[in-house]
Amino acid sequence: MGPAGLDRIISLQRNPANIRNLCILAHVDHGKTTLADCLVASNGIISSRLAGKVRYLDSREDEQDRGITMKSSAISLHYSNGDQDYLLNLIDSPGHVDFSSEVSTAVRLCDGAVVIVDAVEGVCPQTQVVLRQAWLENIRPVLVINKMDRLIMELKLTPQEAYTHLQKILEQVNAVTGSLFMSKVLEERAEKEEKESETTSGDQVYDWSAGLEETDDSQLYFSPDQGNVVFASAIDGWGFSVKQFAHIYSEKMGIKRELLLKTLWGDFYLNAKAKKIMKGAQAKGKKPLFVQLVLDNIWSLYDAVVTRDQEKVVKVVTSLGVKVMARDSRHSDPKVLLSAICSQWLPVAQAVLSMVCEKLPSPLDMAAERVEKLMSVGARRFDSLPEQTQELKRAFLQCSSAENAPVIVFVSKMFAVDTKALPQNRQRTLTPEEIGQRRELARQRHAARMAAGQTAAESNKDHIHSGSVPQEGQPSGICTAKMENLTLKDSKPEESAEQRETFIAFARVYSGVVKKGQRVFVLGPKYDPTQGLSMLPESCSASDFVPDVPHLSCCSMESIYLLMGRELEELEEVPAGNVLGIGGLEECVLKSATLSTSPACPPFIPLNFEARPIVRVAIEPKHPSEMPKLVRGMRLLNQADPCAEVLIQETGEHVLVTAGEVHLQRCLDDLRERFAKIEFSASKPIIPFRETVVRPPKVDMVNEEMGKQHKVAIIHQMKEEGSQGRSSDNLHVDPSGLVTLTTPNRLATVSVRAIPLPQEVTCLLESSSELIRTMEQVNMSLREGKNLDINPATLEAMVGLKAQLENLLQGRKWRNAVEHIWAFGPRRCGPNILLNSVEGYQRPSVWQCLGRVDDVDEAGAQAAVLRDFDNSIISGFQLATLSGPLCEEPLMGVCFSIERWDVQSSAAPQSQDSRFCEDLAESKVERSSEATEAGPSQARRRPDAASADCYGPVSGQLIASMKEACRHAFHAQPQRLMAAMYTCEIMATAEVLGKVYGVLGKREGRVLHEEMKEGTDMFIIKAVLPVAESFGFADEIRKRTSGLASPQLVFSHWEVLSSDPYWVPTTEEEYLHFGEKADSANQALKYMNAVRRRKGLYVEEKIVEHAEKQRTLGKNK
């Protein structure tokens, strides 16, 4: 970009009323980057002929190779609309589901969005996702229906059919928006009713209205007559809104422009005799105005150019008043001529940018509701924030760039840039004067070098005469200088290799002016402004000495950049309302952060990620000596990718967690080529499983009803298997599934029963994990004697969770179960429950934070002793649920009910050893290996403790016994594996439908439903597919269907695998069907053995299976 253009953008940045921050959102391959190219070409940054081919904002090599966008890229454009100049900060975002986290980072920084929909495919799964993301961030969308040329060239629709098809697409998009709007209105209505019910009492007439009638939704929907829809073909360079044609025809036909705006789209037709526009085109069989005045013209132009009707083309060109170059008209590809005519007649950039300027809000128009939502972090309401914090709302809404305005910046992601690409390191073009100066300097250096050479030669002769011989005939001084030069040259690459990647923060200024070198506070996600203001002195700034405040740090913004797609331009300052890049924050910001000069500013709410990272691989370097480089590279990758996670497992493996297969491949490439720069090996994807128990099945494997005797036989068989190798004195398994286990020192006995939780309860607990974690923290504070102020909204959510659990856990066996919940697990917030069914033991409930009353019954000395070891039981439960008996995977949907718990009086003195052991077990659950190593040595240091005997402290034995009892209770029930499942949406034509079904069947997929898309020959297939079978699925589908079908995989849920991993035939029918060996593939057993093999656990498999079935070589010929 030239300096004049940069100066103009800097001047436009100072007028927030004419700034538009927008992102482009769409499903994959709907034409986002092509449209972005057209908009970039309108500023002369690239040639309009190359728009759609260059894909300017796809700057990565793998983006160009795959043809999909993988990261959000920003560029600043200038547009003149009438007498107004606008600055457009445009962000292009990915459409692939694996990179939906990049969409979240883009949406947060914008005030508006351009949603693109393919005219043929219509609303696709990712279209719904991006509309929801835009809705959640309170940003206003406008619609572009792209690829209109496909309706003409591919589907061969008539203008009338195309009009009907476009109406249906608009209905689909509006249906998605309407459902989001309705859910919001109903939520507000429910809140309003709750408040009214609290204030009013007595008889009340119920109001059945949902509140939808009163709310204004006129600006909500997309409609061409409102000016928020553009019809376009970005690849051919044309696009139009109804407003443009209304302007053209108002001059030609003499009809008022306002009237045409209202009637060009809709059920209106032109009565030629009466010269009036009338309603009821469909009922009277007339051609709608939009077809007659708009589509017919475009269709006839395409027809003339494609059929090479030269006379008609010349006539059209002269009537439109466009200039076509001779080489375009002679080109063998008709698309070139089409593009040349249409891009002059209806330039897509003009249509889209004028709609953006008129319909999308400026930073000054930010809604107060959005500001409050951004500032209400966690479960805190905006009203509960300090007064100084609430005053910042005014700074947000004013978007002021005054000197005294507080600086508020949000960083949505960090992205890595090659250090050579930074403006200060970039080679710039030299002016003729500079070239002359350098030429003169070079001449002077050359003359000095020649003079030095002559003096050195003369001194060399003197040395020879005096008898000293220089090494290899060279002057020793020159030789030393050269060696120094070489060593310097050799050391430079290592230094530069370390600093090759620089991190730039992708951010937006919401208030104040950001200046180069300015110091600001970095507010962590858990920062509390109330605590910060109380600990910091008044009018404290980031440049002062700041005392230690939790989750608050200071940093300086070393450099500020204007983001121009592939390039960066250095700036001195950026006023409010603009998108920018900030350098020098890599030490302070990991992925996203809030920056401010005011400590009263709260951290913004976290970004809303649609895709959860689920695909894991273990990574190790080819050469162990390069492990530090790998660790550093993974740390940089974790910072550069908003969705990727890096973990170190208990086994010491370095694990990379990504959102999908394409995302995984990109992360591995980045790690190899940019961040670690070493060769490493990645394991096969680590598939997550869960373990659970189910109710005893009513039918066997051949769908025969199981008799009572048969069920009992199976349970007895399980008990026998489970009790093998165990001392019968310590372990007793009841026929009903109750497991009683005594500690090795015979001082404590525990009886545990495993009960399967209803599926609805499991889903509720899984979705409420954050709330349960908060509840556990509050309970811990209450136990320590601290009193925490809980936000009313959080308290309300806890009451709602308890009510939902009581509603779902109905029946005799679940009577009062919710009140007797002892703990949740694993990690105290998982989808498993520990139930207190011990008679006479009244312990504080997990819901004590709701009542704030510690009602503890006087249960005598025994209850006091039990209470002392209470934490040991919880720790044992946590360990048991963290790694199940099938393949050491976490449990899910299991309730462990403790029905008996006896501790002898000799164990009553609670020594330090027992407390230490409880802490040790807790730390093990939290994956702290250091504490685990310290355990035995600490126990050995206290040999005199009362409760320590040859088996160790009582609490340690109780933890181990509780864990073993839970595992045996689990084995006593019918056990199953749970697999992670993807929802898979596939769009395919009728010809390849069978092949798609074949691939799904082969990979254990299950088709939920299929439907035909109206007006096309495309089918939409919705299926579920195990994550374990998904690797290579997309490639196989594309190969088998010759690229005519492409799947979208999104993590959906956990599903119980129907087959028992330990199943063997027991009934006569099963023996007949499966044979004595039952050697048909057991999917659950296959998955379980694969996980056990990976973890180094024992796998029961024979080297030679079914020897009598093996054939000799002679028979095999």
Side-chain angles (χ1 to χ4, degrees):
M1 162 170 253
L6 181 61
D7 293 342
R8 186 156 201 183
I9 283 178
I10 291 168
S11 65
L12 287 169
Q13 282 184 337
R14 302 182 195 285
N15 182 11
N18 283 8
I19 294 173
R20 300 288 182 270
N21 297 313
L22 67 140
C23 53
I24 302 180
L25 309 175
H27 186 79
V28 68
D29 285 335
H30 278 202
K32 294 180 296 300
T33 309
T34 307
L35 181 67
D37 267 11
C38 294
L39 304 184
V40 170
S42 69
N43 271 224
I45 297 169
I46 60 170
S47 162
S48 57
R49 286 177 174 277
L50 295 175
K53 301 176 185 73
V54 172
R55 300 207 304 279
Y56 183 73
L57 295 179
D58 286 355
S59 53
R60 291 172 57 99
E61 191 179 340
D62 49 0
E63 287 181 316
Q64 293 286 346
D65 292 345
R66 283 181 178 268
I68 60 169
T69 306
M70 295 186 182
K71 61 166 193 353
S72 301
S73 306
I75 191 164
S76 295
L77 304 174
H78 162 249
Y79 176 67
S80 295
N81 190 20
D83 57 344
Q84 295 284 327
D85 281 351
Y86 291 90
L87 174 65
L88 307 166
N89 295 314
L90 175 75
I91 305 175
D92 182 27
S93 64
H96 196 285
V97 68
D98 281 12
F99 305 106
S100 60
S101 58
E102 292 279 349
V103 179
S104 304
T105 62
V107 164
R108 171 59 62 87
L109 304 184
C110 296
D111 301 308
V114 176
V115 178
I116 301 177
V117 176
D118 189 321
V120 173
E121 293 180 8
V123 174
C124 291
Q126 204 61 18
T127 315
Q128 297 179 11
V129 169
V130 296
L131 279 167
R132 184 165 67 250
Q133 282 179 306
W135 178 266
L136 290 172
E137 289 288 346
N138 283 53
I139 69 170
R140 191 182 300 169
V142 289
L143 184 68
V144 174
I145 297 180
N146 194 22
K147 302 194 182 184
M148 289 277 290
D149 57 299
R150 291 183 69 191
L151 300 178
I152 309 169
M153 308 291 284
E154 285 180 32
L155 299 187
K156 311 278 189 210
L157 299 182
T158 63
Q160 181 66 49
E161 289 167 345
Y163 172 68
T164 312
H165 182 74
L166 292 171
Q167 278 183 317
K168 284 177 183 168
I169 288 174
L170 274 171
E171 282 171 17
Q172 289 170 7
V173 181
N174 286 332
V176 175
T177 316
S179 64
L180 293 166
F181 172 71
M182 190 170 73
S183 62
K184 181 193 170 189
V185 170
L186 293 176
E187 276 175 26
E188 288 174 356
R189 170 77 180 174
E191 285 175 17
K192 189 180 170 186
E193 277 179 9
E194 279 178 20
K195 286 177 185 173
E196 284 175 1
S197 62
E198 286 169 14
T199 53
T200 57
S201 58
D203 296 331
Q204 187 180 349
V205 179
Y206 187 74
D207 181 12
W208 290 98
S209 67
L212 290 167
E213 298 85 1
E214 301 150 22
T215 50
D216 177 32
D217 59 352
S218 57
Q219 299 298 314
L220 178 73
Y221 298 111
F222 300 107
S223 179
D225 53 5
Q226 284 189 13
N228 58 2
V229 179
V230 161
F231 303 94
S233 169
I235 198 71
D236 286 345
W238 61 268
F240 65 89
S241 61
V242 167
K243 178 184 158 191
Q244 282 173 272
F245 275 96
H247 180 69
I248 293 166
Y249 284 111
S250 65
E251 291 175 0
K252 281 190 177 182
M253 299 167 67
I255 301 172
K256 284 182 185 176
R257 188 161 161 269
E258 292 76 21
L259 179 64
L260 275 172
L261 262 175
K262 289 178 185 175
T263 56
L264 255 178
W265 180 266
D267 194 25
F268 299 96
Y269 71 97
L270 184 65
N271 189 329
K273 289 180 182 176
K275 292 186 179 180
K276 284 183 181 178
I277 294 170
M278 303 181 81
K279 202 171 183 180
Q282 193 176 355
K284 295 173 184 173
K286 301 284 185 182
K287 199 181 276 187
L289 213 56
F290 188 75
V291 175
Q292 189 178 351
L293 301 183
V294 180
L295 296 185
D296 277 351
N297 292 321
I298 294 167
W299 256 247
S300 60
L301 172 61
Y302 265 77
D303 183 51
V305 173
V306 172
T307 56
R308 298 189 181 277
D309 188 341
Q310 207 61 37
E311 288 180 17
K312 200 171 181 182
V313 169
V314 171
K315 192 178 177 184
V316 167
V317 167
T318 50
S319 66
L320 293 175
V322 296
K323 293 178 182 178
V324 178
M325 295 174 74
R327 68 174 182 181
D328 290 339
S329 57
R330 287 199 300 268
H331 203 282
S332 58
D333 185 4
K335 281 270 185 179
V336 174
L337 179 58
L338 258 175
S339 182
I341 298 170
C342 295
S343 58
Q344 291 179 65
W345 175 38
L346 300 168
V348 66
Q350 187 186 332
V352 173
L353 295 179
S354 63
M355 173 176 72
V356 161
C357 295
E358 288 168 18
K359 294 294 171 185
L360 294 188
S362 71
L364 291 173
D365 302 327
M366 185 183 279
E369 182 189 357
R370 186 183 179 199
V371 175
E372 289 181 13
K373 193 176 176 183
L374 284 175
M375 296 172 80
S376 305
V377 70
R380 298 195 67 171
R381 280 209 298 250
F382 183 74
D383 309 342
S384 65
L385 293 168
E387 279 185 29
Q388 288 166 275
T389 305
Q390 292 188 38
E391 282 171 16
L392 289 175
K393 180 181 170 184
R394 196 180 301 116
F396 263 94
L397 296 172
Q398 286 174 352
C399 194
S400 170
S401 299
E403 285 295 321
N404 59 348
V407 172
I408 302 171
V409 178
F410 181 74
V411 175
S412 71
K413 70 168 181 172
M414 303 289 285
F415 63 95
V417 174
D418 195 326
T419 308
K420 291 176 187 173
L422 294 176
Q424 53 266 40
N425 302 333
R426 198 189 307 145
Q427 288 186 341
R428 61 187 184 85
T429 52
L430 300 173
T431 60
E433 292 82 9
E434 286 174 327
I435 293 169
Q437 286 171 3
R438 290 197 178 192
R439 193 183 298 122
E440 190 59 39
L441 278 169
R443 279 178 187 152
Q444 289 171 8
R445 276 201 299 269
H446 181 67
R449 205 179 296 119
M450 292 297 286
Q454 284 175 1
T455 54
E458 287 168 11
S459 64
N460 193 17
K461 283 175 188 176
D462 295 341
H463 276 292
I464 291 168
H465 287 304
S466 63
S468 64
V469 182
Q471 192 178 357
E472 295 181 11
Q474 283 190 355
S476 57
I478 294 173
C479 187
T480 320
K482 282 191 175 178
M483 286 299 291
E484 284 176 10
N485 198 18
L486 277 171
T487 53
L488 279 170
K489 278 184 179 174
D490 289 344
S491 64
K492 274 180 186 173
E494 289 179 13
E495 290 170 20
S496 61
E498 287 294 311
Q499 298 296 324
R500 198 177 161 196
E501 296 292 335
T502 305
F503 279 94
I504 306 291
F506 191 43
R508 173 177 167 180
V509 189
Y510 285 91
S511 170
V513 180
V514 171
K515 295 177 182 175
K516 190 177 176 180
Q518 187 177 18
R519 282 188 69 78
V520 288
F521 292 114
V522 180
L523 314 173
K526 293 182 180 177
Y527 171 70
D528 184 5
T530 314
Q531 187 183 16
L533 289 168
S534 63
M535 293 176 74
L536 292 170
E538 278 190 37
S539 67
C540 174
S541 70
S543 52
D544 303 335
F545 172 74
V546 178
D548 286 338
V549 178
H551 312 292
L552 180 76
S553 59
C554 296
C555 72
S556 61
M557 296 184 273
E558 291 171 12
S559 44
I560 295 169
Y561 302 105
L562 175 70
L563 303 170
M564 291 299 296
R566 300 180 184 189
E567 296 177 2
L568 299 168
E569 299 286 349
E570 199 165 13
L571 301 174
E572 289 301 313
E573 61 177 43
V574 174
N578 288 286
V579 174
L580 77 162
I582 305 171
L585 298 182
E586 55 261 38
E587 297 301 322
C588 311
V589 178
L590 180 63
K591 289 178 187 268
S592 64
T594 310
L595 313 177
S596 179
T597 52
S598 165
C601 181
F604 284 18
I605 58 169
L607 294 167
N608 176 50
F609 290 148
E610 290 287 329
R612 277 167 41 190
I614 192 159
V615 180
R616 297 167 176 244
V617 288
I619 294 171
E620 60 179 20
K622 289 278 175 72
H623 307 290
S625 60
E626 293 180 326
M627 179 57 90
K629 287 184 180 177
L630 178 70
V631 172
R632 181 178 171 277
M634 290 185 80
R635 183 174 58 78
L636 294 175
L637 174 67
N638 183 41
Q639 191 169 13
D641 195 299
C643 191
E645 292 176 11
V646 173
L647 311 169
I648 299 176
Q649 291 195 325
E650 287 175 340
T651 54
E653 287 178 305
H654 287 75
V655 175
L656 176 65
V657 194
T658 58
E661 212 174 345
V662 183
H663 187 214
L664 171 66
Q665 192 58 51
R666 190 195 81 170
C667 288
L668 292 177
D669 290 345
D670 278 356
L671 194 59
R672 188 177 289 110
E673 293 161 18
R674 297 180 68 184
F675 300 125
K677 297 192 186 76
I678 59 166
E679 283 302 312
F680 57 81
S681 57
S683 70
K684 286 183 178 177
I686 301 169
I687 314 298
F689 287 97
R690 296 287 182 268
E691 301 177 24
T692 190
V693 293
V694 293
R695 297 178 70 181
K698 293 181 180 177
V699 292
D700 60 14
M701 291 293 283
V702 286
N703 290 333
E704 291 286 335
E705 195 170 335
M706 293 168 71
K708 194 175 182 182
Q709 292 175 342
H710 176 61
K711 288 181 192 174
V712 172
I714 285 181
I715 289 170
H716 274 296
Q717 179 193 350
M718 285 176 158
K719 303 299 176 293
E720 285 164 19
E721 287 172 2
S723 60
Q724 278 176 2
R726 297 281 174 191
S727 167
S728 56
D729 296 342
N730 282 5
L731 176 69
H732 174 70
V733 182
D734 194 79
S736 65
L738 183 69
V739 174
T740 305
L741 195 70
T742 308
T743 55
N745 61 6
R746 310 301 175 98
L747 291 179
T749 306
V750 181
S751 295
V752 182
R753 187 192 305 277
I755 310 165
L757 284 172
Q759 190 181 349
E760 297 85 1
V761 175
T762 309
C763 295
L764 177 64
L765 292 177
E766 192 184 16
S767 60
S768 309
S769 60
E770 285 298 321
L771 189 63
I772 295 169
R773 187 181 283 118
T774 309
M775 196 161 69
E776 182 61 35
Q777 287 168 355
V778 174
N779 286 340
M780 205 171 285
S781 303
L782 289 173
R783 282 196 291 273
E784 290 169 3
K786 296 175 187 173
N787 196 10
L788 278 184
D789 286 332
I790 312 173
N791 177 8
T794 311
L795 207 61
E796 199 176 300
M798 289 177 187
V799 172
L801 175 63
K802 186 180 178 185
Q804 280 178 286
L805 282 172
E806 284 172 346
N807 187 37
L808 292 169
L809 293 173
Q810 297 283 351
R812 186 172 53 83
K813 67 176 179 179
W814 296 112
R815 190 174 299 141
N816 296 330
V818 177
E819 289 296 336
H820 291 134
I821 291 175
W822 198 327
F824 298 95
R827 300 191 185 89
R828 295 183 176 266
C829 61
N832 302 287
I833 290 176
L834 179 64
L835 210 58
N836 175 17
S837 303
V838 182
E839 286 185 23
Y841 176 36
Q842 298 290 328
R843 68 181 301 280
S845 166
V846 290
W847 311 104
Q848 64 174 325
C849 55
L850 302 181
R852 307 285 183 91
V853 180
D854 297 328
D855 299 326
V856 183
D857 292 352
E858 295 178 6
Q862 188 190 10
V865 174
L866 292 176
R867 223 167 285 120
D868 281 338
F869 291 103
D870 184 278
N871 206 32
S872 302
I873 293 290
I874 294 174
S875 301
F877 163 72
Q878 299 295 342
L879 288 170
T881 51
L882 191 63
S883 56
L886 294 181
C887 51
E888 302 291 330
E889 290 286 302
L891 301 190
M892 189 173 187
V894 184
C895 171
F896 289 108
S897 174
I898 301 184
E899 302 192 358
R900 179 181 161 215
W901 180 26
D902 300 329
V903 179
Q904 289 185 20
S905 56
S906 58
Q910 170 74 342
S911 72
Q912 288 179 320
D913 278 355
S914 60
R915 290 188 188 279
F916 170 77
C917 203
E918 287 167 17
D919 295 341
L920 181 66
E922 282 298 308
S923 64
K924 189 175 177 186
V925 174
E926 295 297 329
R927 302 188 173 194
S928 172
S929 57
E930 294 169 7
T932 312
E933 288 167 12
S937 61
Q938 289 278 50
R940 281 197 294 273
R941 282 177 205 157
R942 305 190 185 93
D944 303 328
S947 61
D949 54 15
C950 62
Y951 297 109
V954 175
S955 65
Q957 292 179 54
L958 195 52
I959 290 169
S961 299
M962 178 64 192
K963 180 187 173 185
E964 284 303 308
C966 288
R967 289 171 83 100
H968 283 293
F970 185 92
H971 267 310
Q973 301 293 334
Q975 53 216 333
R976 297 287 186 272
L977 267 186
M978 293 182 82
M981 304 296 282
Y982 276 138
T983 299
C984 171
E985 295 225 7
I986 307 169
M987 291 190 71
T989 53
E991 305 90 69
V992 296
L993 214 52
K995 291 175 182 176
V996 169
Y997 275 75
V999 176
L1000 278 169
K1002 178 183 161 188
R1003 291 177 174 265
E1004 307 292 328
R1006 191 173 74 253
V1007 176
L1008 301 178
H1009 66 82
E1010 67 165 57
E1011 59 181 23
M1012 192 171 186
K1013 231 176 171 30
E1014 286 185 43
T1016 68
D1017 61 345
M1018 303 289 282
F1019 282 86
I1020 301 173
I1021 303 152
K1022 193 166 185 178
V1024 287
L1025 182 79
V1027 172
E1029 302 289 341
S1030 67
F1031 301 100
F1033 173 70
D1035 285 343
E1036 190 178 355
I1037 281 253
R1038 275 194 284 270
K1039 282 174 190 169
R1040 293 284 299 275
T1041 62
S1042 306
L1044 291 173
S1046 57
Q1048 282 272 106
L1049 298 171
V1050 185
F1051 175 72
S1052 171
H1053 64 286
W1054 295 92
E1055 191 171 285
V1056 178
L1057 296 176
S1058 57
S1059 54
D1060 183 352
Y1062 294 120
W1063 177 81
V1064 288
T1066 50
T1067 64
E1068 193 178 336
E1069 289 83 0
E1070 286 177 345
Y1071 272 113
L1072 285 169
H1073 192 274
F1074 294 103
E1076 192 177 343
K1077 305 294 180 190
D1079 52 355
S1080 57
N1082 182 340
Q1083 200 67 24
L1085 182 64
K1086 186 182 90 173
Y1087 291 149
M1088 186 181 83
N1089 284 347
V1091 175
R1092 291 185 73 89
R1093 204 174 288 113
R1094 177 173 60 78
K1095 292 185 175 181
L1097 303 171
Y1098 171 69
V1099 178
E1100 188 180 341
E1101 53 187 353
K1102 298 171 186 174
I1103 296 170
V1104 178
E1105 285 191 10
H1106 319 317
E1108 72 277 6
K1109 286 190 173 183
Q1110 291 186 348
R1111 294 177 175 179
T1112 61
L1113 288 172
K1115 279 187 179 178
N1116 215 13
K1117 282 177 184 174

